[in-house]
Amino acid sequence: AGPVIGPNGYDLNNASFLADASIPNVTRPFSADFSPDGLNMYITDLEDPQNITHFTTAAPFDIQNLTFQSELNYDSPSNPTSIHLQENGDAVFVAEAIGDTVLKFDMSTPYDLSTASTSPDQSLQLNIAYGEGGIDFSPDGSFLFIGEQSPETIHRFDFGSPFDLNSTSSSPSQTVASAFGRKGDIDISSDGTVLTEISVETNSIAQ
């Protein structure tokens, strides 16, 4: 199961609805990310905002057959706006609107959230005006992209070491105008040529 995006892949114009499902152990799911093989899903909960929940799937990206694995109740003031899994499963990142921070939790066993500490291994406080929307990384961990709510902008942060929050400045290296104000998640294509963002206010999507 999972979304069908046309016969050639990546084609939103030929997308069709496939399935939906309630998510066990989560009251108000807000942001989710999958492992590259689609067998692990990580999700944040607005009703339990200091919580990340890990599920496995019966088949790649099969949201109708989820098995609960573990929860991480972490020690941080929280209002999570986005979650991002490092593709090799070494870490999970959470963007926090409270304090405008990004948190990193290392997993000693790849993809196994139960092996992460309740205290973030790294955190980055951002020098931005008001509130993060979504976050996404380049596949090699060289760049972090963050959507800001007001003013309507998207920022890029450059890393000296891949996925290392301690190796970047709190101020962005690049900033561009955004299509939306109150944005949800953002996504950067794997080749870095397309940015997609979602509007919370207008229920729309832009690239």
Side-chain angles (χ1 to χ4, degrees), residues 126-132 134-136 143-158 170-178 183 186 188 195:
L126 306 169
N127 183 19
I128 61 176
Y130 177 75
E132 303 136 278
I135 63 171
D136 200 12
F143 306 114
L144 167 65
F145 297 86
I146 294 178
E148 185 176 359
Q149 309 288 7
S150 178
E152 296 86 350
T153 49
I154 294 173
H155 305 290
R156 192 185 91 177
F157 295 80
D158 299 0
S170 61
S171 298
S173 64
Q174 296 180 359
T175 297
V176 296
S178 167
K183 60 182 63 62
I186 65 172
I188 302 292
L195 185 147

Side-chain angles (χ1 to χ4, degrees), residues 159-196:
F159 292 126
S161 300
F163 298 104
D164 182 358
L165 297 183
N166 294 330
S167 70
T168 188
S169 168
S170 61
S171 298
S173 64
Q174 296 180 359
T175 297
V176 296
S178 167
F180 300 130
R182 290 192 62 208
K183 60 182 63 62
D185 247 337
I186 65 172
D187 183 78
I188 302 292
S189 62
S190 59
D191 63 1
T193 62
V194 179
L195 185 147
T196 303

Side-chain angles (χ1 to χ4, degrees), residues 20-34:
D20 61 7
S22 60
I23 303 174
N25 300 77
V26 177
T27 305
R28 294 179 65 195
F30 188 73
S31 181
D33 200 10
F34 285 85

Side-chain angles (χ1 to χ4, degrees), residues 2-166:
V4 176
I5 313 183
N8 299 317
Y10 302 104
D11 184 0
L12 275 180
N13 290 326
N14 290 297
S16 60
F17 176 79
L18 182 60
D20 61 7
S22 60
I23 303 174
N25 300 77
V26 177
T27 305
R28 294 179 65 195
F30 188 73
S31 181
D33 200 10
F34 285 85
S35 58
D37 62 7
L39 296 177
N40 295 273
M41 182 180 80
Y42 306 81
I43 194 163
T44 59
D45 188 347
L46 284 181
E47 287 296 316
D48 192 1
Q50 289 172 265
N51 178 277
I52 304 169
T53 306
H54 173 207
F55 298 92
T56 52
T57 61
F61 303 101
D62 182 2
I63 61 171
Q64 292 184 306
N65 292 283
L66 299 173
T67 300
F68 171 81
Q69 294 297 322
S70 63
E71 290 180 342
L72 175 64
N73 293 288
Y74 56 89
D75 304 325
S76 175
S78 182
N79 185 9
T81 58
S82 185
I83 188 169
H84 179 87
L85 175 71
Q86 191 170 325
E87 288 191 1
N88 64 2
D90 283 349
V92 64
F93 298 82
V94 178
E96 300 284 357
I98 295 178
D100 294 329
T101 56
V102 177
L103 308 177
K104 179 183 180 182
F105 299 90
D106 293 331
M107 292 178 277
S108 57
T109 300
Y111 304 108
D112 185 352
L113 191 63
S114 68
T115 66
S117 170
T118 57
S119 297
D121 293 277
Q122 292 182 350
S123 64
L124 172 65
Q125 186 165 8
L126 306 169
N127 183 19
I128 61 176
Y130 177 75
E132 303 136 278
I135 63 171
D136 200 12
F137 287 81
S138 60
D140 64 359
S142 296
F143 306 114
L144 167 65
F145 297 86
I146 294 178
E148 185 176 359
Q149 309 288 7
S150 178
E152 296 86 350
T153 49
I154 294 173
H155 305 290
R156 192 185 91 177
F157 295 80
D158 299 0
F159 292 126
S161 300
F163 298 104
D164 182 358
L165 297 183
N166 294 330

